[in-house]
């Protein structure tokens, strides 16, 4: 199986088809839900600082909006493909459904590397995206948010362009905005915290004391950083973090066997989640190969970067000590690895449950924007924790009762909710 090229869209459809079989989903609903309901492909011409014009390709894919306005991030990545955006839009539908928020699923991507673009170029790219998509997105139709390599400043430029075009104030047209400009307190931490709320509940179910555990982390972007912070605060020990080095164009794993100081590591990373090698060495980190994060002798693996990282090839390196995998990233595990995880009896918190904290807080952001009244951070985090733990326990309970794998149990709940909405609307 080594060297296999995985297509996230095919993976998402395999996962869906397996569960559709298990729950005997009728043929029409199956056809409707195993593919996106609409998609947009567009070009964005951007005036570069050197006076030339560069044309970027972008996609926005809506998988399903039967339960509410489509919702999902917009990512900037040089290797983006329409198939990964299709997969991610499907996972957004299941994500919103499993935590039971009234939103559908969408995702967007622009093929670019913001690490090599000036702030002015990034701003023009964001505004260009809105000029292309203004007619097809909006607070009651499709609501973008940050994702890989996009941030609150990008969201604000997009909101500003949208409001300039439409001539009104529509802060609910996008989420993940800066606090004070329609953003919600807690949104920055939400995805990472959500990952750890589900991990904490999983450890309780497994009778494992979190303070006796150690973890290895892939990624050090926003999700990973806040997951690491909360896990450390709860007494866990992060021994390794793997992240991309844009200068060397390769990933490294930073390891400290007696535990990394997450605050100190956060101080030496850039805004895209790359850690400074020299400074890390000065902090006493060993610098290993990027792929070594998965081979560490730890209890918990936290893949919080990109898709297709846990494959049968990389899985072969996993220590026998690993008891839990929490998928902070979207689609980090390939379907052919699920069987191996089951065989090894590793407890899996699947991606669209594990990382649903971000979109849940985005939903709170929209609610606050609609009321034009903003909650204190404690209130946001309390509501987030409640949503995440409730969703986790519903999935865990179903998995226990029906003897299901956690990923399948999460799918059963999510697909049933979306299928029900489709049926009630009379689409099927
Ligand atoms: N990009 C995040 C995700 O994949 C958040 C989406 C949102 O807030 O709409 O879940």
């Amino acid at each position: 199986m080594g060297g296999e090229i995985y297509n996230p869209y095919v993976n998402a459809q395999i996962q869906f088809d397996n569960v559709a079989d298990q729950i005997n989903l009728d043929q029409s609903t199956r056809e409707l839900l195993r593919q996106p309901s609409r998609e947009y492909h567009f070009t964005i011409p951007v005036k570069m600082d050197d006076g030339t014009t560069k044309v970027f390709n972008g996609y926005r894919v809506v998988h399903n909006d039967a339960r509410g306005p489509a919702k999902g991030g917009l990512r900037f990545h040089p290797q983006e493909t329409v198939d990964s955006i299709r997969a991610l839009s499907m996972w957004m539908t299941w994500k919103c459904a499993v935590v039971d928020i009234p939103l559908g699923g969408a995702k967007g991507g622009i093929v670019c590397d913001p690490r090599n673009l000036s702030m002015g170029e990034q701003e023009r790219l964001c505004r260009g995206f809105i000029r292309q998509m203004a007619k097809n997105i909006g607070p009651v139709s499709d609501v973008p948010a940050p994702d890989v390599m996009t941030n609150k400043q990008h969201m604000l430029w997009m909101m500003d362009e949208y409001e300039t075009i439409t001539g009104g104030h529509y802060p609910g047209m996008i989420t993940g905005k800066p606090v004070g400009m329609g953003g919600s307190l807690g949104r920055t931490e939400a995805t990472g915290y959500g990952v750890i709320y589900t991990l904490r509940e999983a450890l309780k179910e497994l009778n494992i004391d979190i303070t006796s555990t150690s973890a290895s982390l892939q990624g050090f972007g926003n999700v990973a950083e806040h997951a690491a912070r909360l896990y450390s605060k709860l007494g866990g020990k992060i021994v390794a973090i793997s992240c991309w080095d844009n200068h060397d164009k390769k990933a490294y794993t930073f390891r400290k066997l007696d535990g990394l100081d997450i605050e100190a590591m956060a101080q030496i990373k850039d805004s895209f989640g790359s850690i400074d090698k020299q400074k890390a060495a000065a902090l006493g980190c060993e610098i290993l190969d990027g792929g070594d994060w998965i081979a560490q002798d730890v209890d918990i693996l936290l893949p919080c970067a990109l898709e297709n990282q846990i494959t049968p090839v990389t899985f072969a390196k996993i220590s026998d000590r690993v008891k839990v995998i929490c998928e902070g990233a979207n689609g980090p595990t390939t379907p052919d690895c699920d069987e191996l995880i089951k065989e090894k009896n590793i407890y899996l918190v699947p991606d669209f449950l594990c990382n649903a904290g971000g979109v849940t807080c985005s939903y709170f952001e929209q609610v606050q924007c609609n009321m034009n009244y903003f909650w204190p951070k404690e209130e946001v985090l309390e509501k987030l924790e409640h949503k995440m733990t409730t969703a986790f326990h519903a999935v865990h309970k179903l998995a226990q009762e029906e003897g299901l794998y956690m990923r399948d149990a999460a799918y059963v709940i999510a697909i049933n909710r979306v299928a029900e909405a489709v049926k009630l609307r009379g689409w099927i």
Side-chain angles (χ1 to χ4, degrees):
M1 290 189 225
E4 209 159 325
I5 309 281
Y6 292 98
N7 178 331
Y9 186 39
V10 173
N11 295 351
Q13 290 187 318
I14 292 173
Q15 292 170 350
F16 172 79
D17 290 341
N18 283 341
V19 178
D21 285 344
Q22 287 178 39
I23 62 174
N24 289 320
L25 195 66
D26 66 89
Q27 197 52 37
S28 328
T29 311
R30 197 185 277 237
E31 256 169 60
L32 185 70
L33 299 184
R34 76 188 300 284
Q35 57 188 326
S37 67
R38 56 183 182 272
E39 49 185 62
Y40 305 92
H41 297 212
F42 44 85
T43 49
I44 308 175
V46 173
K47 294 258 184 305
M48 305 300 279
D49 292 349
D50 65 5
T52 61
T53 297
K54 210 167 165 210
V55 179
F56 294 89
N57 288 81
Y59 313 100
R60 183 76 186 170
V61 175
V62 174
H63 171 251
N64 187 278
D65 55 4
R67 285 174 46 88
K71 188 81 191 80
L74 174 75
R75 47 168 62 186
F76 288 169
H77 201 276
Q79 266 87 50
E80 205 54 80
T81 65
V82 66
D83 272 355
S84 57
I85 301 301
R86 287 174 177 141
L88 290 156
S89 73
M90 284 180 84
W91 289 323
M92 283 310 303
T93 303
W94 314 135
K95 196 180 297 195
C96 295
V98 82
V99 288
D100 206 8
I101 54 178
L103 297 168
K107 197 70 140 205
I110 297 174
V111 187
C112 70
D113 193 339
R115 293 167 293 206
N116 304 330
L117 297 176
S118 71
M119 290 301 271
E121 290 163 346
Q122 291 179 48
E123 176 175 352
R124 294 190 286 280
L125 184 63
C126 290
R127 292 186 186 278
F129 164 70
I130 295 294
R131 285 202 297 273
Q132 280 291 30
M133 284 298 293
K135 286 193 210 66
N136 307 108
I137 57 174
V140 293
S141 55
D142 177 10
V143 183
D147 201 272
V148 172
M149 286 201 279
T150 50
N151 59 37
K152 54 189 172 194
Q153 177 63 70
H154 298 131
M155 300 304 113
L156 195 62
W157 285 326
M158 291 182 199
M159 182 189 85
D160 183 68
E161 189 67 22
Y162 184 83
E163 293 185 341
T164 305
I165 292 170
T166 54
H169 280 287
Y170 298 102
M173 63 75 54
I174 202 158
T175 60
K177 304 180 292 299
V179 171
M181 292 301 293
S184 173
L185 289 163
R187 178 65 184 84
T188 312
E189 297 89 342
T191 315
Y193 277 22
V195 169
I196 303 304
Y197 294 146
T198 63
L199 170 63
R200 184 193 62 196
E201 298 307 301
L203 291 174
K204 276 190 212 157
E205 293 294 344
L206 297 169
N207 275 319
I208 299 172
D209 177 5
I210 196 165
T211 63
S212 71
T213 62
S214 58
S216 178
L217 183 63
Q218 190 191 31
F220 206 42
N222 181 50
V223 177
E225 179 189 328
H226 290 286
R229 279 177 194 263
L230 184 58
Y231 173 67
S232 304
K233 199 168 143 200
L234 296 178
K237 185 170 77 176
I238 300 266
V239 299
I241 297 176
S242 161
C243 61
W244 186 252
D245 186 304
N246 198 40
H247 182 259
D248 295 359
K249 303 278 181 250
K250 70 185 288 274
Y252 293 104
T253 298
F254 298 88
R255 180 172 76 175
K256 210 166 173 200
L257 291 175
D258 56 355
L260 290 161
D261 175 346
I262 300 304
E263 290 307 322
M265 296 305 282
Q267 297 298 319
I268 60 165
K269 74 166 218 181
D270 69 14
S271 61
F272 299 108
S274 295
I275 292 170
D276 184 308
K277 275 206 310 293
Q278 269 74 38
K279 291 183 182 158
L283 289 174
C285 294
E286 294 172 77
I287 302 177
L288 314 173
D289 187 69
D292 288 346
W293 75 279
I294 204 166
Q296 299 306 309
D297 186 32
V298 289
D299 308 291
I300 298 154
L301 291 177
L302 298 167
C304 296
L306 289 171
E307 303 92 60
N308 298 335
Q309 301 301 305
I310 307 185
T311 67
V313 174
T314 59
F315 188 84
K317 302 181 195 158
I318 285 182
S319 151
D320 285 336
R321 186 167 151 194
V322 171
K323 296 177 196 72
V324 183
I325 298 176
C326 278
E327 296 180 327
N330 292 306
T333 307
T334 57
D336 49 6
C337 231
D338 279 324
E339 284 311 313
L340 305 175
I341 295 175
K342 285 181 216 169
E343 269 167 36
K344 251 195 158 176
N345 209 14
I346 295 174
Y347 190 98
L348 177 91
V349 185
D351 52 2
F352 66 84
L353 167 65
C354 187
N355 68 33
V359 75
T360 301
C361 196
S362 277
Y363 165 58
F364 297 153
E365 180 174 330
Q366 265 200 311
V367 171
Q368 294 169 85
C369 284
N370 293 345
M371 292 190 296
N372 207 6
Y373 175 75
F374 289 82
W375 310 329
K377 189 167 180 177
E378 300 69 47
E379 191 174 338
V380 176
L381 292 179
E382 197 184 299
K383 286 182 163 67
L384 177 70
E385 188 169 354
H386 180 255
K387 269 280 180 209
M388 292 301 295
T389 51
T390 306
F392 170 85
H393 285 289
V395 173
H396 175 82
K397 186 162 174 276
L398 183 69
Q400 293 292 305
E401 285 172 0
E402 304 290 325
L404 291 173
Y405 182 49
M406 279 289 282
R407 191 185 312 284
D408 292 350
Y411 263 112
V412 168
I413 292 176
I415 295 175
N416 276 330
R417 284 190 179 142
V418 179
E420 171 82 356
V422 161
K423 208 157 288 152
L424 285 171
R425 281 181 181 274
W427 290 357
I428 295 290

